[in-house]
Amino acid sequence: MCGIVAYIGHREAYPILIKGLHRLEYRGYDSAGIALIDDNEINVYKTKGKVRDLEHFTESKNINGKIGIAHTRWATHGEPNNANAHPHYSETASLALVHNGIIENYTLLKKALQEHGYNFKSDTDTEVLVQLIEYIKTSNNCSLFEAVQSALKQVIGAYAIAVIDKNNKEEIVAARKSSPLVVGLGKEEYFVASDVTPIIEYTNKVVYLNDEEVVLLRPKEQINIVNLNNTITKVDVKSLNMSISQLEKGGYPHFMLKEINEQPKTIIDCIRGRINVEATNVILSGVIDHKDKILNAGRIIIVACGTSWHAALIGKHLIEEFCKIPVEVEYASEFRYRNPVINKGDLMIAISQSGETADTLAAVQLGKEKGAFIYGICNVVGSSIPRATHTGTYIHVGPEIGVASTKAFTGQVTVLTMLAMTIAKEKKSIAKERFLSILKSLKSLPELMEEVLMLDERIKDLSKIFTYAHNFLYLGRGYNYPLALEGALKLKEISYIHAEGYPAAEMKHGPIALIDNEMPTFVIATTDSIYEKTVSNIQEIKARGGKVIALVTKGDKIVSSMADFSLEIPDVDECLSPVVACIPLQLFAYHIAINKGRNVDQPRNLAKSVTVE
Ligand code: G6P
């Protein structure tokens, strides 16, 4: 989704801003732009397309300036074109602004400004905001900072903004509400960005802005943050523990492939310090520190979106099996708008890779207002959801740049397994032998994942046979049903082939009508407690001439003899099967997308971090 980068200090801003925009490309966008102050003029350059198009566009232009703001736009109001790209000028071109989020009351504000003689060059809500700031600044004869504060009080909606004034190249004003913004603190220089990826190259000292905070950045002065009511906020400087190499491709052609291959390592990071096989223990401090609230929860509600929602479905299975607590899984976007029943004493778990998904954050806020205790399972340290929850666990899989989520999914399922085990052990609701066997399986995950990654060449060959399929069905049962949904999502996200995931037995209630020799089915048929049932479902497909790719447990004879193609994965406790079995599904989607020449890391229309609802 939209990305902001801004810089003020002693260096040339252009290279920092362009590099920062490249780092934010993974979020998904359709146009890009930059504004720099030179000689008391703001030069704005913007274009539809990619950051490299912006670089070509600026080749012979004046790109001087030690202060600037830049943006990648993911269209909401108005199509992706040059006029709607950010930054936007104010009426007299004395201000320029970049914005993430949505100004909901922009039509009313625009009408009022038009009545005061303001003209608009774009269809965006953002242009309304910069015009409003200029209007207030001129009519009240106040500072940019005061004008921003006052304008934001009139705005309904979500925003992260950075504004510059051509008459003052010594300051940037930025603010946030419901859309992330972080400030990097250098030596007599400041960086602003939607997330830390454009900043870590320059400094590891950052300040995350909170909702309704406005920050004034002057290179020779201390950072100054106040809220919309002018109350000064205590500056909470955090130290980042992330390296640039984590953000680069490390020899792989795509981030997605790198992230798929990283999974054995990221699972080690995820379980490190949390499981102890010798002491036969699992320790999630988020649970242990809030035992009373968590163990006594009468009900658990898990809220999430996209891939995180699929992990949540596996979480439900794990928690209900091990802890005997009823669990409901909700799409955060639906949950927040249907006045859900939340009782004091309910435990809400919010799962989000980015920690910034607007719907999930809103569901968390709703849960909190209604008295639930909130547990976050997130990846991005310091992001909005972990800050809004009472406690939680980071999955610690490192930055995920490919838009299609891969290593975050396996990290989420692994944390959910450890969460269920910790609660179950405390509640004594799990048999000791079962607990120990899962503990061993957890420990062996990285090794098993390495083994599955060796299937890559075989999957690559298989992908060639199915590159031109128009539809795909994915089936699984039990723990592997959510995995069928995830496999289908991966394929459609990056290859644009229509794919559906179903619980295998549901096939006969509809999807079976689609089966013929042009409709391939990917069945996850590992040896588990309902293996025989899945075998029957495969027979139903074969009887109708459907092609079957089956994911089976090593040594399987029955399914392998029925399926057209089979892929063997090592045996693992069925509750952890999705962590291992998802790798072939990820690789299959990846290779098909490559065969089709798709942009796997930045698929069309998708955003990595969905900060608008
Ligand atoms: C977007 C991403 C998905 C992700 C979903 C939820 O749609 O493209 O990969 O699963 O958002 O994101 P979250 O950061 O909350 O897990």
Side-chain angles (χ1 to χ4, degrees):
M1 202 131 277
C2 304
I4 288 178
V5 197
Y7 173 79
I8 185 163
H10 44 84
R11 313 186 211 202
E12 280 303 307
Y14 180 85
I16 295 171
L17 297 176
I18 289 289
K19 204 170 197 185
L21 290 183
H22 277 300
R23 294 238 186 265
L24 291 178
E25 283 191 297
Y26 78 95
R27 296 165 70 90
Y29 70 104
D30 37 50
S31 54
I34 194 163
L36 301 151
I37 304 183
D38 186 40
D39 263 351
N40 292 340
E41 284 305 328
I42 303 180
N43 296 311
V44 170
Y45 308 114
K46 49 192 193 169
T47 179
K48 183 182 165 187
K50 296 289 173 192
V51 177
R52 62 176 177 274
D53 299 315
L54 178 67
E55 286 179 89
H56 289 146
F57 182 65
T58 51
E59 256 159 25
S60 52
K61 308 273 194 312
N62 173 8
I63 50 165
N64 297 330
K66 297 196 162 61
I67 165 173
I69 55 178
H71 193 260
T72 46
R73 171 174 186 254
W74 188 81
T76 57
H77 292 61
E79 60 175 287
N81 60 24
N82 297 354
N84 289 334
H86 302 204
H88 288 281
Y89 276 127
S90 60
E91 184 72 17
T92 62
S94 63
L95 307 182
L97 173 144
V98 287
H99 165 227
N100 292 355
I102 293 177
I103 309 296
E104 289 167 13
N105 57 339
Y106 84 106
T107 326
L108 275 180
L109 295 169
K110 187 170 183 174
K111 203 158 164 271
L113 287 161
Q114 280 166 329
E115 280 161 14
H116 283 93
Y118 280 71
N119 300 292
F120 289 83
K121 298 186 184 69
S122 77
D123 308 316
T124 63
D125 50 339
T126 302
E127 195 183 5
V128 175
L129 185 54
V130 69
Q131 300 276 45
L132 179 64
I133 296 170
E134 181 175 288
Y135 171 72
I136 294 171
K137 185 169 180 290
T138 321
S139 38
N140 294 0
N141 194 18
C142 62
S143 70
L144 176 64
F145 188 70
E146 288 162 335
V148 168
Q149 262 184 318
S150 161
L152 292 178
K153 281 190 198 165
Q154 299 183 36
V155 155
I156 300 171
Y159 54 78
I161 58 166
V163 202
I164 51 174
D165 179 344
K166 72 174 186 178
N167 297 315
N168 190 352
K169 56 182 183 200
E170 288 303 315
E171 69 179 37
I172 290 181
V173 178
R176 86 154 252 175
K177 183 181 179 194
S178 307
S179 199
L181 207 60
V182 54
V183 179
L185 315 183
K187 200 158 177 268
E188 299 199 346
E189 60 183 349
Y190 289 106
F191 306 81
V192 180
S194 300
D195 62 41
V196 296
T197 54
I199 297 178
I200 52 173
E201 196 166 340
Y202 309 101
T203 173
N204 70 342
K205 299 267 170 283
V206 297
V207 175
Y208 294 95
L209 292 190
N210 293 309
D211 277 352
E212 303 203 333
E213 284 181 350
V214 188
V215 60
L216 177 64
L217 301 171
R218 292 179 172 152
K220 299 217 159 56
E221 294 177 17
Q222 296 280 318
I223 180 171
N224 179 6
I225 307 177
V226 300
N227 66 19
L228 293 188
N229 298 324
N230 225 10
T231 313
I232 296 174
T233 313
K234 190 175 160 281
V235 177
D236 182 11
V237 181
K238 299 260 187 252
S239 285
L240 293 173
N241 182 14
M242 195 191 280
S243 68
I244 262 296
S245 63
Q246 286 179 292
L247 297 180
E248 287 172 350
K249 286 189 198 141
Y252 287 95
H254 299 98
F255 282 112
M256 183 178 177
L257 190 60
K258 173 188 172 227
E259 287 157 7
I260 292 172
N261 278 281
E262 265 174 4
Q263 290 176 104
K265 185 190 152 291
T266 55
I267 292 300
I268 294 176
D269 293 340
C270 179
I271 59 181
R272 179 175 293 123
R274 292 166 171 171
I275 68 166
N276 183 334
V277 182
E278 286 73 45
T280 64
N281 213 356
V282 176
I283 306 140
L284 281 195
S285 54
V287 175
I288 302 299
D289 296 348
H290 302 273
K291 252 196 218 169
D292 290 353
K293 294 249 169 10
I294 295 173
L295 301 190
N296 297 324
R299 163 186 181 240
I300 296 178
I301 306 160
I302 314 185
V303 289
C305 302
T307 289
S308 301
W309 187 80
H310 296 156
L313 292 176
I314 298 171
K316 170 183 167 75
H317 207 133
L318 288 160
I319 297 168
E320 290 191 340
E321 184 187 341
F322 300 169
C323 316
K324 317 290 178 228
I325 303 174
V327 182
E328 289 162 32
V329 175
E330 299 263 6
Y331 282 117
S333 53
E334 287 297 311
F335 179 81
R336 63 181 289 195
Y337 284 118
R338 64 171 179 75
N339 196 13
V341 179
I342 305 173
N343 302 315
K344 242 194 162 57
D346 279 349
L347 171 65
M348 180 190 266
I349 301 177
I351 308 180
S352 173
Q353 185 285 130
S354 61
E356 298 293 352
T357 301
D359 285 320
T360 312
L361 183 58
V364 163
Q365 276 149 355
L366 181 67
K368 235 172 158 181
E369 276 160 31
K370 295 202 174 197
F373 186 75
I374 324 276
Y375 198 102
I377 298 180
C378 296
N379 188 32
V380 179
V381 176
S383 54
S384 301
I385 294 172
R387 287 188 291 137
T389 50
H390 295 110
T391 183
T393 302
Y394 283 114
I395 60 174
H396 286 318
V397 299
E400 189 180 67
I401 309 289
V403 163
S405 186
T406 52
K407 61 178 180 172
F409 175 74
T410 44
Q412 289 164 343
V413 177
T414 305
V415 163
L416 283 160
T417 310
M418 293 190 287
L419 178 85
M421 290 173 77
T422 312
I423 300 175
K425 191 166 187 219
E426 292 294 325
K427 280 188 76 166
K428 302 194 180 22
S429 55
I430 188 168
K432 199 168 172 209
E433 303 67 47
R434 178 100 173 96
F435 184 90
L436 291 179
S437 130
I438 301 166
L439 195 61
K440 273 206 187 119
S441 295
L442 266 174
K443 182 93 191 305
S444 66
L445 279 177
E447 210 180 299
L448 302 183
M449 292 171 111
E450 290 286 6
E451 195 178 328
V452 178
L453 283 166
M454 313 241 279
L455 289 171
D456 187 44
E457 276 304 312
R458 170 133 168 69
I459 295 172
K460 194 171 172 183
D461 289 343
L462 193 59
S463 74
K464 292 181 189 139
I465 303 171
F466 293 99
T467 300
Y468 299 102
H470 293 294
N471 297 287
F472 240 101
L473 192 60
Y474 282 72
L475 301 177
R477 299 192 70 158
Y479 280 105
N480 286 327
Y481 152 54
L483 192 58
L485 301 181
E486 177 59 9
L489 178 67
K490 285 298 84 100
L491 188 70
K492 74 183 133 199
E493 277 180 315
I494 58 169
S495 74
Y496 318 149
I497 294 176
H498 169 246
E500 299 218 31
Y502 259 88
E506 273 296 302
M507 187 188 60
K508 54 185 160 308
H509 299 293
I512 199 163
L514 303 171
I515 301 286
D516 61 15
N517 61 4
E518 308 236 311
M519 173 81 168
T521 306
F522 203 129
V523 189
I524 303 139
T526 47
T527 319
D528 56 19
S529 47
I530 40 175
Y531 172 76
E532 273 83 26
K533 309 277 177 203
T534 313
V535 171
S536 313
N537 300 136
I538 295 173
Q539 265 155 351
E540 289 157 11
I541 302 169
K542 287 311 300 168
R544 285 157 185 86
K547 289 247 175 316
V548 171
I549 306 173
L551 200 60
V552 298
T553 306
K554 215 194 249 169
D556 176 287
K557 295 275 179 300
I558 303 171
V559 171
S560 303
S561 66
M562 288 160 52
D564 298 272
F565 306 94
S566 52
L567 296 166
E568 287 195 344
I569 60 169
D571 193 17
V572 60
D573 190 294
E574 72 177 284
C575 74
L576 284 168
S577 158
V579 178
V580 179
C582 74
I583 292 178
L585 305 186
Q586 295 166 347
L587 286 170
F588 185 69
Y590 172 80
H591 287 300
I592 289 207
I594 294 296
N595 301 344
K596 291 179 88 80
R598 307 297 193 216
N599 183 346
V600 288
D601 282 338
Q602 290 158 39
R604 70 180 179 206
N605 305 338
L606 293 181
K608 181 72 188 158
S609 174
V610 182
T611 50
V612 296
E613 59 175 285

